[in-house]
Amino acid sequence: MREMIKMVVVLVILSSFSGGLLAAVRNSTKDKIELQQLTFVKGPAIKSILDGASNDPIVDRFNIEYEGGTASFYVGVFDGQPDRVAFESAGKGFGGDLGLMVGVDIKADKIIGVGVTTHSETPGIGSKAKTDPSFTRQFEGMDLIDSFQVKTDGGQVDAISGATITSRGVAFGVTQAGALYKALKPQIEAKLKEFK
Amino acid sequence: MAKSIAQEFTKGLWEEIPPFRLVLGLCPVLAVTKTVENGIGMGLATTFVLVCSNILVSSLRKIIPGKVRIACFIIIIATFVTVVELVMQAFTYPLFLKLGIFIPLIVVNCIVLGRSEAFAFKNGIVRSLADGLGIGIGFTLALASLGAVRELFGNGTLTIWETPIQIFGPSFQPFTFMVEAPGAFVCLGLMLCLMNLVGSK
């Protein structure tokens, strides 16, 4: 009996100590982590999609809550009009999740750019989705249709050679982004009006 | 047959160098050594966890009841791994992105649990520190060398501090097999073979 009590006491003390330490570390690193994510992951993609905007899209962002999550929208002001937004989407690649940033022109309902933010694809093959812009550039100027696919599946875009699965993942992510955009368009427009 | 503290440290560098001699912890060894930088980052993260958990396990070894020791080890290890994960996210974010899931997976790395169980639970704090440091640095060296070989032949570059350095020049045709999973096994096997050749003299 004594031994059992000792086991329980030791485990409880260890776990609570561990919990306390982790809470402290988490609290002190939280802001820094958010900042890092914005600069390293989303920042470059947002900047390249909303290139030439007269504002800072990372500062001028808003969130929309919907069934299933919260989406952040980054606003780009062009010629005094906040009519372009970039937001996140995701697909499944060869090595895991593919994070995407998709930019949309609200007036024309057209894609203005797609950028890969996070991925764990094979270096030199699937990683080209991020490093070689010629693949994602294919989406620029396309209408937001219901389904994007690579040409081997009868779709619209050429896959990266040797990385069909990665390319499919990106196309799927863009499809998802289109669906999200269509579902949230009224809210996005309302938020942009407030923005003016 | 008590070893000196220096011996406890140096045994991790050659005699018991983890992936090659103990053939433990192969999951991160094979998965993250696509570049030198990833290898070093993973190695250092593991070293930190190894040293901290060794010290704590060793200092608590008289308090921890034998029957629940594994559970206690896992709590201690998991705590330090989460600390590493948060700190890496805050300060070396690009590296954290590349290592991804393999950072949390240090928890189940057999090396860390193995050292707690086989060494730290039976030895004093200073010895455990030396052991953890030695095994950790050995692990880092192994990952870095494997990463260097794979990256050099697979991509023609060596990445240090986020900047890939071209070694073979632009005309080099990369042997991409090396950076893929089978290349990791072949490369590990060849390095094991080389170590045995040198060691058997």
Side-chain angles (χ1 to χ4, degrees), chain A residues 3 6-8 10-11 14-15 17-19 21-22 25-27 29-30 32-33 36-37 40-41 117-125 130, chain B residues 34 56 60 62-65 67-68 71-73 75-76 78-80 82-83 86-94 97 155 176 179-180:
Chain A
E3 202 197 349
K6 195 189 171 194
M7 287 198 287
V8 172
V10 169
L11 273 176
L14 256 183
S15 322
F17 173 75
S18 144
L21 179 72
L22 289 183
V25 175
R26 186 178 160 70
N27 261 341
T29 53
K30 212 168 93 195
K32 198 129 177 112
I33 291 173
Q36 291 270 27
Q37 281 177 337
F40 280 106
V41 186
T117 50
T118 53
H119 71 87
S120 36
E121 305 303 292
T122 321
I125 304 173
K130 183 171 186 168
Chain B
K34 285 169 183 170
L56 206 61
L60 295 177
K62 299 220 167 72
I63 305 166
I64 295 174
K67 281 184 184 159
V68 287
C72 294
F73 296 164
I75 292 176
I76 292 170
T79 307
F80 286 118
T82 316
V83 169
L86 289 170
V87 169
M88 278 184 88
Q89 277 190 57
F91 296 100
T92 56
Y93 201 80
L97 285 182
N155 210 13
T176 44
V179 287
E180 285 163 35

Short mmCIF file of all heavy atoms in Angstrom, two decimals, chain A residues 3 6-8 10-11 14-15 17-19 21-22 25-27 29-30 32-33 36-37 40-41 117-125 130, chain B residues 34 56 60 62-65 67-68 71-73 75-76 78-80 82-83 86-94 97 155 176 179-180:
data_model
loop_
_atom_site.label_atom_id
_atom_site.label_comp_id
_atom_site.label_asym_id
_atom_site.label_seq_id
_atom_site.Cartn_x
_atom_site.Cartn_y
_atom_site.Cartn_z
N GLU A 3 3.82 1.58 -1.06
CA GLU A 3 4.51 1.72 -2.34
C GLU A 3 3.60 2.35 -3.38
O GLU A 3 4.01 3.20 -4.17
CB GLU A 3 4.96 0.33 -2.79
CG GLU A 3 6.10 0.37 -3.78
CD GLU A 3 6.24 -0.95 -4.52
OE1 GLU A 3 5.61 -1.94 -4.11
OE2 GLU A 3 6.98 -0.97 -5.51
N LYS A 6 3.26 5.96 -2.89
CA LYS A 6 4.48 6.63 -3.31
C LYS A 6 4.50 6.81 -4.83
O LYS A 6 4.83 7.88 -5.34
CB LYS A 6 5.70 5.82 -2.86
CG LYS A 6 6.98 6.63 -2.94
CD LYS A 6 8.20 5.78 -2.72
CE LYS A 6 9.44 6.58 -3.03
NZ LYS A 6 10.63 5.76 -3.15
N MET A 7 4.11 5.74 -5.54
CA MET A 7 4.09 5.82 -7.00
C MET A 7 3.18 6.94 -7.46
O MET A 7 3.54 7.75 -8.32
CB MET A 7 3.59 4.50 -7.60
CG MET A 7 4.59 3.39 -7.50
SD MET A 7 4.24 2.04 -8.60
CE MET A 7 2.85 1.25 -7.88
N VAL A 8 1.98 6.98 -6.87
CA VAL A 8 1.01 8.01 -7.28
C VAL A 8 1.56 9.39 -6.98
O VAL A 8 1.54 10.29 -7.83
CB VAL A 8 -0.34 7.78 -6.56
CG1 VAL A 8 -1.28 8.94 -6.83
CG2 VAL A 8 -0.95 6.47 -7.00
N VAL A 10 4.68 10.43 -6.60
CA VAL A 10 5.80 10.81 -7.46
C VAL A 10 5.31 11.21 -8.84
O VAL A 10 5.71 12.25 -9.39
CB VAL A 10 6.83 9.65 -7.55
CG1 VAL A 10 7.84 9.93 -8.65
CG2 VAL A 10 7.54 9.47 -6.23
N LEU A 11 4.41 10.39 -9.41
CA LEU A 11 3.92 10.71 -10.75
C LEU A 11 3.15 12.02 -10.79
O LEU A 11 3.32 12.82 -11.71
CB LEU A 11 3.03 9.57 -11.27
CG LEU A 11 3.78 8.44 -11.96
CD1 LEU A 11 2.82 7.33 -12.34
CD2 LEU A 11 4.48 8.94 -13.20
N LEU A 14 5.69 14.90 -10.50
CA LEU A 14 6.44 15.05 -11.75
C LEU A 14 5.57 15.68 -12.84
O LEU A 14 6.00 16.60 -13.52
CB LEU A 14 6.89 13.67 -12.24
CG LEU A 14 8.35 13.30 -12.03
CD1 LEU A 14 8.63 11.94 -12.62
CD2 LEU A 14 9.26 14.33 -12.65
N SER A 15 4.33 15.18 -12.98
CA SER A 15 3.47 15.71 -14.05
C SER A 15 3.13 17.17 -13.80
O SER A 15 3.13 17.96 -14.74
CB SER A 15 2.16 14.93 -14.15
OG SER A 15 2.38 13.58 -13.93
N PHE A 17 4.83 19.36 -12.13
CA PHE A 17 6.04 20.15 -12.37
C PHE A 17 6.24 20.36 -13.87
O PHE A 17 6.51 21.46 -14.34
CB PHE A 17 7.24 19.43 -11.75
CG PHE A 17 8.56 20.07 -12.08
CD1 PHE A 17 8.95 21.24 -11.45
CD2 PHE A 17 9.39 19.50 -13.02
CE1 PHE A 17 10.16 21.83 -11.76
CE2 PHE A 17 10.60 20.09 -13.34
CZ PHE A 17 10.98 21.26 -12.71
N SER A 18 6.07 19.27 -14.62
CA SER A 18 6.24 19.33 -16.07
C SER A 18 5.23 20.28 -16.69
O SER A 18 5.57 21.10 -17.55
CB SER A 18 6.13 17.92 -16.63
OG SER A 18 5.49 17.92 -17.86
N GLY A 19 3.98 20.20 -16.24
CA GLY A 19 2.95 21.08 -16.76
C GLY A 19 3.27 22.54 -16.50
O GLY A 19 3.15 23.38 -17.38
N LEU A 21 6.23 23.92 -15.97
CA LEU A 21 7.38 24.35 -16.77
C LEU A 21 6.95 24.65 -18.19
O LEU A 21 7.32 25.68 -18.77
CB LEU A 21 8.45 23.25 -16.74
CG LEU A 21 9.70 23.55 -17.54
CD1 LEU A 21 10.52 24.62 -16.84
CD2 LEU A 21 10.54 22.31 -17.74
N LEU A 22 6.15 23.74 -18.76
CA LEU A 22 5.73 23.92 -20.15
C LEU A 22 4.86 25.16 -20.31
O LEU A 22 5.01 25.89 -21.28
CB LEU A 22 4.98 22.69 -20.65
CG LEU A 22 5.87 21.47 -20.86
CD1 LEU A 22 5.06 20.33 -21.42
CD2 LEU A 22 7.01 21.80 -21.80
N VAL A 25 7.22 28.12 -20.36
CA VAL A 25 7.95 28.25 -21.62
C VAL A 25 7.02 28.71 -22.74
O VAL A 25 7.35 29.59 -23.53
CB VAL A 25 8.63 26.91 -22.01
CG1 VAL A 25 9.27 27.00 -23.37
CG2 VAL A 25 9.66 26.53 -20.97
N ARG A 26 5.84 28.13 -22.76
CA ARG A 26 4.90 28.48 -23.82
C ARG A 26 4.51 29.95 -23.75
O ARG A 26 4.48 30.64 -24.76
CB ARG A 26 3.65 27.61 -23.70
CG ARG A 26 2.71 27.83 -24.85
CD ARG A 26 1.50 26.94 -24.80
NE ARG A 26 0.47 27.54 -25.64
CZ ARG A 26 0.51 27.60 -26.96
NH1 ARG A 26 1.54 27.09 -27.59
NH2 ARG A 26 -0.45 28.17 -27.63
N ASN A 27 4.24 30.42 -22.52
CA ASN A 27 3.87 31.81 -22.37
C ASN A 27 4.97 32.74 -22.84
O ASN A 27 4.70 33.75 -23.48
CB ASN A 27 3.57 32.11 -20.90
CG ASN A 27 2.08 32.09 -20.65
OD1 ASN A 27 1.31 32.20 -21.60
ND2 ASN A 27 1.69 31.94 -19.41
N THR A 29 7.28 32.19 -25.03
CA THR A 29 7.68 32.12 -26.44
C THR A 29 6.51 32.39 -27.39
O THR A 29 6.72 32.46 -28.59
CB THR A 29 8.24 30.73 -26.78
OG1 THR A 29 7.31 29.73 -26.38
CG2 THR A 29 9.58 30.47 -26.14
N LYS A 30 5.31 32.54 -26.86
CA LYS A 30 4.13 32.60 -27.71
C LYS A 30 4.18 33.72 -28.76
O LYS A 30 4.00 33.48 -29.95
CB LYS A 30 2.89 32.78 -26.83
CG LYS A 30 1.65 32.12 -27.39
CD LYS A 30 0.55 32.07 -26.36
CE LYS A 30 -0.33 33.27 -26.48
NZ LYS A 30 -1.19 33.47 -25.31
N LYS A 32 6.69 35.44 -29.81
CA LYS A 32 7.81 35.29 -30.72
C LYS A 32 7.47 34.26 -31.82
O LYS A 32 7.81 34.45 -32.99
CB LYS A 32 9.01 34.81 -29.90
CG LYS A 32 10.28 35.03 -30.60
CD LYS A 32 11.32 35.75 -29.78
CE LYS A 32 12.53 35.80 -30.63
NZ LYS A 32 13.02 36.95 -31.15
N ILE A 33 6.81 33.19 -31.44
CA ILE A 33 6.46 32.16 -32.42
C ILE A 33 5.49 32.71 -33.46
O ILE A 33 5.66 32.49 -34.66
CB ILE A 33 5.85 30.93 -31.70
CG1 ILE A 33 6.93 30.23 -30.88
CG2 ILE A 33 5.24 29.96 -32.70
CD1 ILE A 33 6.42 29.12 -30.00
N GLN A 36 7.38 34.81 -35.83
CA GLN A 36 8.21 33.99 -36.71
C GLN A 36 7.38 33.38 -37.82
O GLN A 36 7.80 33.33 -38.97
CB GLN A 36 8.85 32.84 -35.90
CG GLN A 36 9.87 33.29 -34.92
CD GLN A 36 11.24 33.33 -35.53
OE1 GLN A 36 11.38 33.51 -36.73
NE2 GLN A 36 12.27 33.18 -34.73
N GLN A 37 6.17 32.91 -37.45
CA GLN A 37 5.33 32.29 -38.46
C GLN A 37 4.95 33.30 -39.53
O GLN A 37 4.94 32.99 -40.71
CB GLN A 37 4.07 31.71 -37.82
CG GLN A 37 4.36 30.39 -37.15
CD GLN A 37 3.15 29.83 -36.44
OE1 GLN A 37 2.24 30.56 -36.07
NE2 GLN A 37 3.14 28.54 -36.23
N PHE A 40 8.37 34.15 -41.58
CA PHE A 40 9.05 33.11 -42.35
C PHE A 40 8.12 32.30 -43.24
O PHE A 40 8.51 31.85 -44.30
CB PHE A 40 9.79 32.15 -41.43
CG PHE A 40 11.10 32.70 -40.98
CD1 PHE A 40 11.26 33.17 -39.71
CD2 PHE A 40 12.15 32.78 -41.86
CE1 PHE A 40 12.46 33.69 -39.29
CE2 PHE A 40 13.36 33.29 -41.46
CZ PHE A 40 13.51 33.75 -40.16
N VAL A 41 6.91 32.07 -42.78
CA VAL A 41 6.06 31.16 -43.53
C VAL A 41 5.12 31.91 -44.45
O VAL A 41 5.10 31.71 -45.65
CB VAL A 41 5.23 30.30 -42.56
CG1 VAL A 41 4.49 29.26 -43.33
CG2 VAL A 41 6.14 29.66 -41.57
N THR A 117 3.66 27.83 -48.76
CA THR A 117 4.27 28.32 -47.52
C THR A 117 5.03 27.21 -46.79
O THR A 117 6.23 27.30 -46.61
CB THR A 117 3.19 28.90 -46.58
OG1 THR A 117 2.15 27.95 -46.45
CG2 THR A 117 2.64 30.19 -47.14
N THR A 118 4.35 26.15 -46.40
CA THR A 118 5.05 25.06 -45.71
C THR A 118 4.92 23.78 -46.53
O THR A 118 3.91 23.53 -47.16
CB THR A 118 4.41 24.78 -44.34
OG1 THR A 118 3.02 24.58 -44.53
CG2 THR A 118 4.64 25.92 -43.39
N HIS A 119 5.97 22.97 -46.49
CA HIS A 119 5.89 21.68 -47.17
C HIS A 119 6.98 20.79 -46.61
O HIS A 119 7.92 21.25 -45.97
CB HIS A 119 6.08 21.86 -48.67
CG HIS A 119 7.48 22.21 -49.06
ND1 HIS A 119 8.44 21.25 -49.30
CD2 HIS A 119 8.11 23.39 -49.21
CE1 HIS A 119 9.58 21.85 -49.60
NE2 HIS A 119 9.41 23.14 -49.54
N SER A 120 6.83 19.49 -46.83
CA SER A 120 7.93 18.59 -46.51
C SER A 120 8.16 17.67 -47.70
O SER A 120 8.21 16.46 -47.56
CB SER A 120 7.63 17.81 -45.23
OG SER A 120 6.28 17.49 -45.14
N GLU A 121 8.26 18.27 -48.87
CA GLU A 121 8.46 17.49 -50.10
C GLU A 121 9.94 17.18 -50.29
O GLU A 121 10.81 17.76 -49.65
CB GLU A 121 7.93 18.28 -51.31
CG GLU A 121 6.49 18.71 -51.17
CD GLU A 121 5.54 17.54 -50.93
OE1 GLU A 121 5.36 16.74 -51.83
OE2 GLU A 121 5.00 17.43 -49.81
N THR A 122 10.21 16.25 -51.19
CA THR A 122 11.60 15.86 -51.47
C THR A 122 12.38 17.05 -52.04
O THR A 122 11.94 17.66 -53.00
CB THR A 122 11.62 14.73 -52.51
OG1 THR A 122 10.55 13.85 -52.23
CG2 THR A 122 12.93 13.99 -52.50
N PRO A 123 13.55 17.36 -51.45
CA PRO A 123 14.33 18.47 -51.98
C PRO A 123 14.71 18.22 -53.44
O PRO A 123 15.07 17.11 -53.80
CB PRO A 123 15.59 18.49 -51.11
CG PRO A 123 15.27 17.67 -49.93
CD PRO A 123 14.21 16.70 -50.33
N GLY A 124 14.61 19.25 -54.24
CA GLY A 124 15.02 19.14 -55.63
C GLY A 124 13.95 18.57 -56.53
O GLY A 124 14.06 18.65 -57.75
N ILE A 125 12.91 17.94 -55.96
CA ILE A 125 11.84 17.40 -56.81
C ILE A 125 10.53 18.10 -56.44
O ILE A 125 10.14 19.06 -57.07
CB ILE A 125 11.73 15.86 -56.66
CG1 ILE A 125 13.08 15.22 -56.98
CG2 ILE A 125 10.67 15.33 -57.61
CD1 ILE A 125 13.12 13.74 -56.70
N LYS A 130 7.73 25.15 -54.40
CA LYS A 130 7.99 26.39 -53.69
C LYS A 130 9.10 27.20 -54.37
O LYS A 130 8.98 28.40 -54.53
CB LYS A 130 8.39 26.09 -52.25
CG LYS A 130 8.60 27.34 -51.44
CD LYS A 130 8.78 27.04 -49.98
CE LYS A 130 8.84 28.34 -49.19
NZ LYS A 130 8.73 28.13 -47.77
N LYS B 34 18.73 14.88 -44.93
CA LYS B 34 18.78 15.27 -46.33
C LYS B 34 19.81 16.38 -46.55
O LYS B 34 20.34 16.54 -47.63
CB LYS B 34 17.41 15.76 -46.79
CG LYS B 34 16.43 14.61 -46.99
CD LYS B 34 15.03 15.13 -47.17
CE LYS B 34 14.06 13.97 -47.29
NZ LYS B 34 12.67 14.42 -47.23
N LEU B 56 18.26 14.85 -14.85
CA LEU B 56 17.08 14.81 -13.99
C LEU B 56 16.80 13.38 -13.52
O LEU B 56 16.53 13.16 -12.34
CB LEU B 56 15.88 15.40 -14.73
CG LEU B 56 14.81 15.98 -13.82
CD1 LEU B 56 15.38 17.13 -13.01
CD2 LEU B 56 13.63 16.47 -14.63
N LEU B 60 16.93 12.12 -9.64
CA LEU B 60 15.70 11.65 -9.01
C LEU B 60 15.68 10.13 -8.84
O LEU B 60 14.67 9.57 -8.45
CB LEU B 60 14.48 12.07 -9.85
CG LEU B 60 14.20 13.56 -9.98
CD1 LEU B 60 13.01 13.81 -10.90
CD2 LEU B 60 13.93 14.18 -8.62
N LYS B 62 16.69 8.02 -6.80
CA LYS B 62 16.37 7.41 -5.50
C LYS B 62 14.91 7.62 -5.12
O LYS B 62 14.38 6.95 -4.25
CB LYS B 62 17.28 7.99 -4.42
CG LYS B 62 18.76 7.72 -4.71
CD LYS B 62 19.55 7.36 -3.47
CE LYS B 62 20.91 6.79 -3.83
NZ LYS B 62 21.83 7.84 -4.35
N ILE B 63 14.29 8.61 -5.77
CA ILE B 63 12.89 8.92 -5.44
C ILE B 63 11.93 8.16 -6.34
O ILE B 63 10.86 7.75 -5.92
CB ILE B 63 12.65 10.45 -5.59
CG1 ILE B 63 13.66 11.22 -4.73
CG2 ILE B 63 11.23 10.82 -5.21
CD1 ILE B 63 13.73 12.69 -5.05
N ILE B 64 12.32 7.99 -7.61
CA ILE B 64 11.41 7.35 -8.57
C ILE B 64 11.23 5.87 -8.21
O ILE B 64 12.21 5.13 -8.13
CB ILE B 64 11.97 7.47 -10.01
CG1 ILE B 64 12.02 8.94 -10.44
CG2 ILE B 64 11.13 6.67 -10.99
CD1 ILE B 64 12.69 9.19 -11.77
N PRO B 65 9.98 5.42 -7.99
CA PRO B 65 9.76 4.00 -7.68
C PRO B 65 10.03 3.15 -8.93
O PRO B 65 9.66 3.53 -10.04
CB PRO B 65 8.27 3.94 -7.32
CG PRO B 65 7.80 5.34 -7.25
CD PRO B 65 8.74 6.18 -8.03
N LYS B 67 8.76 0.55 -10.19
CA LYS B 67 7.66 0.03 -11.00
C LYS B 67 7.13 1.04 -12.01
O LYS B 67 6.59 0.66 -13.04
CB LYS B 67 6.51 -0.42 -10.10
CG LYS B 67 6.78 -1.78 -9.49
CD LYS B 67 5.60 -2.26 -8.69
CE LYS B 67 5.94 -3.57 -8.01
NZ LYS B 67 5.07 -3.81 -6.86
N VAL B 68 7.24 2.32 -11.70
CA VAL B 68 6.71 3.32 -12.64
C VAL B 68 7.85 4.14 -13.25
O VAL B 68 7.64 5.26 -13.68
CB VAL B 68 5.69 4.27 -11.98
CG1 VAL B 68 4.39 3.54 -11.71
CG2 VAL B 68 6.23 4.87 -10.71
N ALA B 71 7.33 5.35 -16.95
CA ALA B 71 6.37 6.46 -17.05
C ALA B 71 7.03 7.77 -16.62
O ALA B 71 6.86 8.81 -17.27
CB ALA B 71 5.16 6.17 -16.18
N CYS B 72 7.82 7.70 -15.55
CA CYS B 72 8.50 8.92 -15.09
C CYS B 72 9.50 9.41 -16.14
O CYS B 72 9.58 10.60 -16.41
CB CYS B 72 9.22 8.66 -13.77
SG CYS B 72 8.10 8.32 -12.43
N PHE B 73 10.26 8.46 -16.72
CA PHE B 73 11.23 8.86 -17.75
C PHE B 73 10.52 9.57 -18.89
O PHE B 73 10.97 10.60 -19.37
CB PHE B 73 11.95 7.63 -18.34
CG PHE B 73 12.78 6.87 -17.35
CD1 PHE B 73 13.21 5.58 -17.65
CD2 PHE B 73 13.16 7.44 -16.14
CE1 PHE B 73 13.98 4.87 -16.75
CE2 PHE B 73 13.93 6.72 -15.24
CZ PHE B 73 14.33 5.44 -15.54
N ILE B 75 7.68 11.16 -18.92
CA ILE B 75 7.22 12.51 -18.56
C ILE B 75 8.39 13.49 -18.65
O ILE B 75 8.28 14.57 -19.24
CB ILE B 75 6.64 12.54 -17.12
CG1 ILE B 75 5.35 11.75 -17.06
CG2 ILE B 75 6.40 13.98 -16.67
CD1 ILE B 75 4.76 11.64 -15.68
N ILE B 76 9.52 13.10 -18.08
CA ILE B 76 10.69 13.98 -18.08
C ILE B 76 11.14 14.27 -19.50
O ILE B 76 11.34 15.43 -19.90
CB ILE B 76 11.83 13.33 -17.27
CG1 ILE B 76 11.45 13.28 -15.79
CG2 ILE B 76 13.13 14.10 -17.46
CD1 ILE B 76 12.39 12.44 -14.94
N ALA B 78 9.48 13.92 -22.37
CA ALA B 78 8.48 14.66 -23.15
C ALA B 78 8.48 16.13 -22.79
O ALA B 78 8.32 17.00 -23.66
CB ALA B 78 7.10 14.07 -22.92
N THR B 79 8.70 16.43 -21.51
CA THR B 79 8.75 17.84 -21.10
C THR B 79 9.88 18.56 -21.82
O THR B 79 9.67 19.63 -22.41
CB THR B 79 8.97 17.94 -19.58
OG1 THR B 79 7.98 17.14 -18.95
CG2 THR B 79 8.86 19.36 -19.12
N PHE B 80 11.06 17.95 -21.79
CA PHE B 80 12.20 18.64 -22.42
C PHE B 80 12.03 18.73 -23.93
O PHE B 80 12.43 19.71 -24.55
CB PHE B 80 13.51 17.94 -22.05
CG PHE B 80 13.92 18.22 -20.64
CD1 PHE B 80 14.03 17.21 -19.71
CD2 PHE B 80 14.16 19.52 -20.23
CE1 PHE B 80 14.39 17.48 -18.41
CE2 PHE B 80 14.51 19.80 -18.93
CZ PHE B 80 14.63 18.77 -18.01
N THR B 82 9.24 19.08 -25.55
CA THR B 82 8.32 20.18 -25.84
C THR B 82 9.01 21.53 -25.64
O THR B 82 8.78 22.46 -26.41
CB THR B 82 7.07 20.07 -24.95
OG1 THR B 82 6.66 18.71 -24.94
CG2 THR B 82 5.96 20.91 -25.48
N VAL B 83 9.88 21.61 -24.63
CA VAL B 83 10.64 22.84 -24.45
C VAL B 83 11.48 23.12 -25.69
O VAL B 83 11.47 24.22 -26.25
CB VAL B 83 11.54 22.75 -23.19
CG1 VAL B 83 12.52 23.91 -23.15
CG2 VAL B 83 10.70 22.73 -21.93
N LEU B 86 9.29 24.32 -28.60
CA LEU B 86 8.85 25.71 -28.48
C LEU B 86 10.00 26.68 -28.72
O LEU B 86 9.85 27.68 -29.41
CB LEU B 86 8.22 25.95 -27.10
CG LEU B 86 6.86 25.29 -26.89
CD1 LEU B 86 6.44 25.39 -25.44
CD2 LEU B 86 5.82 25.92 -27.78
N VAL B 87 11.16 26.35 -28.15
CA VAL B 87 12.30 27.25 -28.31
C VAL B 87 12.74 27.30 -29.77
O VAL B 87 13.04 28.37 -30.31
CB VAL B 87 13.46 26.81 -27.39
CG1 VAL B 87 14.73 27.55 -27.71
CG2 VAL B 87 13.09 27.03 -25.93
N MET B 88 12.73 26.14 -30.44
CA MET B 88 13.10 26.14 -31.85
C MET B 88 12.11 26.94 -32.68
O MET B 88 12.49 27.66 -33.60
CB MET B 88 13.15 24.71 -32.39
CG MET B 88 14.44 24.02 -32.06
SD MET B 88 14.50 22.40 -32.81
CE MET B 88 15.17 22.80 -34.39
N GLN B 89 10.83 26.83 -32.35
CA GLN B 89 9.84 27.61 -33.09
C GLN B 89 10.07 29.09 -32.90
O GLN B 89 9.88 29.88 -33.81
CB GLN B 89 8.43 27.27 -32.60
CG GLN B 89 7.87 26.05 -33.23
CD GLN B 89 6.39 25.92 -32.89
OE1 GLN B 89 5.61 26.80 -33.15
NE2 GLN B 89 6.04 24.80 -32.31
N ALA B 90 10.49 29.46 -31.70
CA ALA B 90 10.65 30.88 -31.41
C ALA B 90 11.93 31.44 -32.01
O ALA B 90 11.97 32.60 -32.39
CB ALA B 90 10.62 31.11 -29.91
N PHE B 91 12.99 30.64 -32.08
CA PHE B 91 14.27 31.23 -32.48
C PHE B 91 14.83 30.71 -33.80
O PHE B 91 15.49 31.46 -34.53
CB PHE B 91 15.29 31.06 -31.36
CG PHE B 91 14.91 31.80 -30.12
CD1 PHE B 91 14.33 31.15 -29.06
CD2 PHE B 91 15.09 33.17 -30.05
CE1 PHE B 91 13.94 31.84 -27.93
CE2 PHE B 91 14.70 33.88 -28.92
CZ PHE B 91 14.12 33.20 -27.86
N THR B 92 14.62 29.46 -34.14
CA THR B 92 15.16 28.96 -35.41
C THR B 92 14.02 28.38 -36.22
O THR B 92 13.98 27.20 -36.51
CB THR B 92 16.23 27.88 -35.18
OG1 THR B 92 15.64 26.83 -34.39
CG2 THR B 92 17.44 28.40 -34.47
N TYR B 93 13.08 29.26 -36.57
CA TYR B 93 11.87 28.79 -37.20
C TYR B 93 12.08 28.01 -38.51
O TYR B 93 11.48 26.97 -38.71
CB TYR B 93 10.91 29.96 -37.43
CG TYR B 93 9.51 29.48 -37.60
CD1 TYR B 93 8.74 29.15 -36.51
CD2 TYR B 93 8.98 29.30 -38.87
CE1 TYR B 93 7.46 28.67 -36.67
CE2 TYR B 93 7.69 28.83 -39.03
CZ TYR B 93 6.95 28.51 -37.92
OH TYR B 93 5.69 28.02 -38.08
N PRO B 94 12.96 28.50 -39.42
CA PRO B 94 13.12 27.76 -40.68
C PRO B 94 13.59 26.31 -40.45
O PRO B 94 13.13 25.40 -41.12
CB PRO B 94 14.18 28.56 -41.43
CG PRO B 94 14.17 29.91 -40.81
CD PRO B 94 13.77 29.72 -39.40
N LEU B 97 10.79 24.16 -39.29
CA LEU B 97 9.90 23.75 -40.37
C LEU B 97 10.44 22.53 -41.09
O LEU B 97 9.70 21.64 -41.47
CB LEU B 97 9.74 24.89 -41.38
CG LEU B 97 8.86 26.03 -40.94
CD1 LEU B 97 8.77 27.05 -42.05
CD2 LEU B 97 7.48 25.52 -40.59
N ASN B 155 22.62 16.46 -54.04
CA ASN B 155 22.21 17.80 -54.47
C ASN B 155 23.40 18.66 -54.90
O ASN B 155 23.22 19.74 -55.43
CB ASN B 155 21.45 18.47 -53.33
CG ASN B 155 20.40 19.44 -53.82
OD1 ASN B 155 20.07 19.44 -55.00
ND2 ASN B 155 19.89 20.26 -52.92
N THR B 176 20.06 12.14 -57.33
CA THR B 176 18.96 12.38 -56.38
C THR B 176 18.58 11.16 -55.56
O THR B 176 17.92 11.29 -54.54
CB THR B 176 17.70 12.89 -57.10
OG1 THR B 176 17.52 12.11 -58.27
CG2 THR B 176 17.79 14.35 -57.45
N VAL B 179 19.24 11.56 -51.78
CA VAL B 179 18.41 12.31 -50.84
C VAL B 179 17.05 11.66 -50.61
O VAL B 179 16.26 12.14 -49.82
CB VAL B 179 18.20 13.79 -51.25
CG1 VAL B 179 19.45 14.58 -51.02
CG2 VAL B 179 17.73 13.91 -52.66
N GLU B 180 16.78 10.58 -51.31
CA GLU B 180 15.52 9.89 -51.07
C GLU B 180 15.72 8.80 -50.01
O GLU B 180 16.84 8.48 -49.64
CB GLU B 180 15.00 9.28 -52.37
CG GLU B 180 14.42 10.36 -53.29
CD GLU B 180 14.30 9.87 -54.70
OE1 GLU B 180 14.02 8.68 -54.88
OE2 GLU B 180 14.52 10.67 -55.62
#
